[in-house]
Amino acid sequence: AISDVCPSEMMPLMGALVAKGTVSMTVAAASESIITTEVTLSQEQRIKATEALIFMIRRRGHGIFIHGPLLLDMMLFSPKQVQGSNGKVSSRHSHMIQSQTHSYFIGLDGDDSDNEVEIEERKIRLNTGGPVFDTEEDDLLRSATISVVCELIAALNPAVIATYCPILVHLATTALRLESSRPVRRAAAFLSSGIYALVEKEITESGSWNGSTTSSMAVALMSADEESLSNVLRQCVSSDDVDIKKNEMSNRAVKGKVRLVDPATQSRCKEALKIRRELEDSGILNAAKLIAASLKRDATNPVVQVVRRALLQCSM
């Protein structure tokens, strides 16, 4: 409610609370004097602040463009580091997490029937993300920060997000490839889906695709090593990036960490790849790839650079 009345003050304030966990505030004391105090939030409070910020972003809708770049910078470049689980759980505990999560998604009786009601309920369980265990609570804040980025991607203009595309693709790829935290990997998979969906959104809003136009977001995506992202998504779906033999530390997918199969992460990766296939079938990604390659060649061509500088000087 306060953010509806004072968005210019509340949006940056909530962003700072989520990203840094501390904020300096000037308040009026009882003696009518003005004092500056620093407010520090606990990890649980920062998670609640993240939920509030996501709600505020949704409330602002397209109006978030005023604060969008600032919030993106806060979430991507200034989060205060938190101590995560870093995959340091025992084999016995990891097996318990694996079995209980499997029971949650598939059902206690293990019935894998094709009943429409059961399929719909299973889809809901996959989309909600599943249970979070005590050893994973420290990772919730990191995943929540990525969730804020996902909300901003859905709300902001694709041309704005295109400038952040390299760091977003790197974040999603690195998290899926190296993270052992299931909440963080789930958020990274959702981020990947959001990136591809934004390309589709830009094309849809600009009119039907006829091969004569392309998407600035698509060009930025193909210039940001999109191939690595798609390969990581496929590995996640096929479970090639997780641990099968739980008792052999030397055979870990990521050295020193326990990586478990997570149906929620796989479901989100499948959604991202589904959108990618649609973009690929329509020819958007191929066209964007050619444009990205051309831009890369021009950036290293001295003749092109001389001509560009001459044209720039003539226009001044």
Side-chain angles (χ1 to χ4, degrees), residues 160-178:
V160 175
I161 302 300
T163 61
Y164 291 88
C165 202
I167 188 66
L168 293 174
V169 172
H170 178 73
L171 171 61
T173 304
T174 303
L176 287 171
R177 179 179 290 161
L178 300 178

Side-chain angles (χ1 to χ4, degrees), residues 106-171:
I106 306 303
L108 294 176
D109 55 359
D111 183 17
D112 195 22
S113 63
D114 293 331
N115 181 277
E116 291 186 6
V117 176
E118 176 61 27
I119 292 175
E120 186 63 27
E121 290 181 353
R122 191 178 302 134
K123 182 178 179 181
I124 293 174
R125 290 195 293 268
L126 289 170
N127 290 335
T128 57
V132 177
F133 296 84
D134 291 340
T135 55
E136 298 177 313
E137 287 183 352
D138 291 340
D139 300 316
L140 285 179
L141 183 56
R142 293 192 294 142
S143 66
T145 303
I146 300 177
S147 297
V148 173
V149 174
C150 295
E151 290 295 332
L152 291 170
I153 288 176
L156 291 173
N157 189 292
V160 175
I161 302 300
T163 61
Y164 291 88
C165 202
I167 188 66
L168 293 174
V169 172
H170 178 73
L171 171 61

Side-chain angles (χ1 to χ4, degrees), residues 90-110 125 130-131 133 136 182 186 243 246 258-263:
S90 65
S91 296
R92 177 183 176 185
H93 195 185
S94 65
H95 180 68
M96 182 272 291
I97 291 176
Q98 183 74 83
S99 61
Q100 291 194 13
T101 303
H102 181 80
S103 298
Y104 174 82
F105 287 120
I106 306 303
L108 294 176
D109 55 359
R125 290 195 293 268
F133 296 84
E136 298 177 313
R182 296 190 309 164
R186 289 169 185 170
D243 301 313
K246 304 181 180 61
V258 177
R259 294 272 294 264
L260 305 176
V261 176
D262 182 37

